Amino acid sequence: MTAHARPGRRLGALAAGAVLVQVLAACTSRELTAPEDAEPRDDPPVQATAAPEAEPAPTLAGAPRWAAPYSSPPRPAGDGFVGIAMSEGGDLTFLGVDAEGRTRWSTPRNPSCTAFAVTEDESGQDLVVLLDSDADPASGLLATRTTAAAYDPHDGSLVWGPTDVPGTLVGPGLLLAAIEGSVMSSSSGPKVALDPETGAVSADEEEDGTELLHEYQGTLLVREGGELRASESGSGDVLWTSGELDPPEHTGSGPDAVAPGPAPENGYAASVALSWEDPDGEPVAHTVHDLRTGERLVSFHGREEPRVVGNKEDLTVVSGPHPDGGQLLVGLRGSPAEELWRTRLPDGPRLDAVVGDHVHLTDGDLTRLVEVRSGETVGEGPWAVPVAAAADGTALVPVGSEGLGDAFAAFAPAP
């Protein structure tokens, strides 16, 4: 069945993860083999023939360059893309594709239950984490084992794994758990966190008695009792605790407690939102902090939750109510976070995605574009929101699909 997105919106459902995509047919047993290096390929790009489902933004060149081989939204990784391709026979393959549309590698996975995430190791190199399982719904067999393995997105070589995990990616970041009940359920069993450097389990809710909240490129946020604590995934060294944070100034007599705020909209950000609550547990303010240092970056008065969206280039954009009306939009980079800009925008399109060099705010079919490094508004119109962009600016835009799943075409950045 072909899924179509409304023009101006992203395709696919992103779970809250590092930048993760799930394919869950019915993790409900095939033999699970040890992961190996992906198969090298050198497939040339395919000419794009399908028309975009909505007008590409003026920041993209007019004609599509090539057709992407993916069946669901891919993610940027390395200097290109990684994503899933489904065949008519039901086989599922992960493909690494460069910014010119050439397929560089492929590796198969169980089509009934898999997921993937993009993260970084300690040196800043991208890693693609793929899941596999022994589920075999055709035989009515549930998964008895699920594993994670990391690959180099440039050539598909195996970096680490397999690591046994309790279930799929639930995020944010490399947080994994078994989904309880239906595969569409938001309820999960005890979570574990993986160290992106080694693939080792760095925290386990069942064993540690903590609640795992957020992982991002080797930094882990947990809650134990009433305390929030950020630490290094590998070493376990504590970076900061909620007891060290000052409440925002505009909370009157002071909040009673601090709790986790909303997760990043795309499950991928170097910043974390916190909720400051009164004695009744109602939020009186929200703050956004650098996940690694705990530094407060933005604060918002009142109950309305901020929105946080990031990308793998350490760019984070935060939006929330402006004290004088409209919405405040703040651009951040890196950790320790550097504020690039802050701007006030009128109500209307809300923060949706950070893709390439632009922030996309959407409201139905309307998209407002903001330059990600300056905060300047480029314009607004009924434009398609790209699902991913490579380092050179090549962006993948939804197009009409005639096969399984979704379809995408690559556009170059406008000169």
Side-chain angles (χ1 to χ4, degrees), residues 65-66 78-81 98-100 356-357 389-395 411-414:
R65 299 174 57 198
W66 45 270
D79 58 358
F81 305 94
D98 68 19
E100 300 299 321
D357 291 334
D392 71 350
T394 299
F411 287 77

Side-chain angles (χ1 to χ4, degrees), residues 37-41 96 104-106 151-159:
D37 290 344
E39 178 185 352
R41 291 170 61 167
R104 298 190 281 202
W105 56 265
S106 66
Y151 293 80
D152 184 323
H154 296 91
D155 60 10
S157 58
L158 182 67
V159 177

Side-chain angles (χ1 to χ4, degrees), residues 26-202:
C27 289
T28 60
S29 163
R30 68 176 181 81
E31 182 181 357
L32 186 59
T33 58
E36 300 176 341
D37 290 344
E39 178 185 352
R41 291 170 61 167
D42 191 21
D43 301 353
V46 175
Q47 182 178 357
T49 57
E53 295 187 335
E55 178 186 355
T59 54
L60 300 176
R65 299 174 57 198
W66 45 270
Y70 300 118
S71 306
S72 64
R75 298 290 97 194
D79 58 358
F81 305 94
V82 172
I84 290 168
M86 292 287 293
S87 72
E88 294 289 345
D91 294 329
L92 183 148
T93 305
F94 282 96
L95 301 175
V97 177
D98 68 19
E100 300 299 321
R102 186 171 293 275
T103 300
R104 298 190 281 202
W105 56 265
S106 66
T107 184
R109 283 298 186 272
N110 186 345
S112 68
C113 180
T114 190
F116 76 101
V118 178
T119 187
E120 287 185 1
D121 63 17
E122 291 179 355
S123 66
Q125 298 301 306
D126 282 357
L127 296 175
V128 181
V129 179
L130 308 183
L131 300 192
D132 203 1
S133 83
D134 61 0
D136 187 1
S139 302
L141 298 176
L142 299 170
T144 62
R145 186 184 180 207
T146 303
T147 62
Y151 293 80
D152 184 323
H154 296 91
D155 60 10
S157 58
L158 182 67
V159 177
W160 53 254
T163 298
D164 285 280
V165 295
T168 193
L169 286 152
V170 296
L174 295 184
L175 302 184
L176 304 97
I179 300 296
E180 297 179 342
S182 164
V183 294
M184 300 305 292
S185 171
S186 60
S187 178
S188 69
K191 297 188 287 287
V192 301
L194 299 186
D195 176 7
E197 180 70 16
T198 64
V201 173
S202 59

Side-chain angles (χ1 to χ4, degrees), residues 20-375:
L20 61 89
V21 175
Q22 301 190 66
V23 174
L24 297 169
C27 289
T28 60
S29 163
R30 68 176 181 81
E31 182 181 357
L32 186 59
T33 58
E36 300 176 341
D37 290 344
E39 178 185 352
R41 291 170 61 167
D42 191 21
D43 301 353
V46 175
Q47 182 178 357
T49 57
E53 295 187 335
E55 178 186 355
T59 54
L60 300 176
R65 299 174 57 198
W66 45 270
Y70 300 118
S71 306
S72 64
R75 298 290 97 194
D79 58 358
F81 305 94
V82 172
I84 290 168
M86 292 287 293
S87 72
E88 294 289 345
D91 294 329
L92 183 148
T93 305
F94 282 96
L95 301 175
V97 177
D98 68 19
E100 300 299 321
R102 186 171 293 275
T103 300
R104 298 190 281 202
W105 56 265
S106 66
T107 184
R109 283 298 186 272
N110 186 345
S112 68
C113 180
T114 190
F116 76 101
V118 178
T119 187
E120 287 185 1
D121 63 17
E122 291 179 355
S123 66
Q125 298 301 306
D126 282 357
L127 296 175
V128 181
V129 179
L130 308 183
L131 300 192
D132 203 1
S133 83
D134 61 0
D136 187 1
S139 302
L141 298 176
L142 299 170
T144 62
R145 186 184 180 207
T146 303
T147 62
Y151 293 80
D152 184 323
H154 296 91
D155 60 10
S157 58
L158 182 67
V159 177
W160 53 254
T163 298
D164 285 280
V165 295
T168 193
L169 286 152
V170 296
L174 295 184
L175 302 184
L176 304 97
I179 300 296
E180 297 179 342
S182 164
V183 294
M184 300 305 292
S185 171
S186 60
S187 178
S188 69
K191 297 188 287 287
V192 301
L194 299 186
D195 176 7
E197 180 70 16
T198 64
V201 173
S202 59
D204 185 324
E205 286 186 340
E206 199 165 35
E207 293 183 2
D208 304 337
T210 58
E211 180 184 0
L212 306 185
L213 301 173
H214 191 136
E215 190 281 331
Y216 179 80
Q217 296 179 3
T219 302
L220 179 64
L221 182 68
V222 306
R223 174 162 59 180
E224 185 172 13
E227 182 184 68
L228 305 179
R229 181 174 69 249
S231 60
E232 294 269 11
S233 293
S235 67
D237 292 343
V238 175
L239 301 172
W240 57 270
T241 69
S242 56
E244 302 168 20
L245 305 179
D246 294 324
E249 294 80 5
H250 42 59
T251 54
S253 58
D256 186 66
V258 60
E265 292 293 316
N266 62 341
Y268 194 73
S271 302
V272 59
L274 302 181
S275 174
W276 298 83
E277 301 174 344
D278 64 19
D280 295 325
E282 295 294 330
V284 295
H286 292 86
T287 52
V288 177
H289 298 255
D290 184 311
L291 179 63
R292 185 166 183 81
T293 68
E295 177 189 2
R296 188 201 306 166
L297 307 171
V298 194
S299 60
F300 301 95
H301 178 63
R303 296 186 177 185
E304 183 176 341
E305 291 185 339
R307 296 166 73 91
V308 180
V309 175
N311 70 5
K312 77 179 188 67
E313 306 300 333
D314 278 347
L315 289 167
T316 302
V317 179
V318 179
S319 72
H322 193 284
D324 297 323
Q327 55 184 321
L328 173 66
L329 202 66
V330 182
L332 306 163
R333 179 176 59 195
S335 181
E338 171 194 4
E339 182 173 313
L340 300 175
W341 47 266
R342 63 175 57 204
T343 187
R344 179 186 176 190
L345 295 176
D347 289 325
R350 301 186 67 195
L351 176 61
D352 185 19
V354 178
V355 184
D357 291 334
H358 294 91
V359 183
H360 299 256
L361 298 90
T362 60
D363 183 7
D365 295 343
L366 180 65
T367 299
R368 177 181 292 154
L369 288 181
V370 174
E371 212 287 325
V372 75
R373 301 188 189 281
S374 68

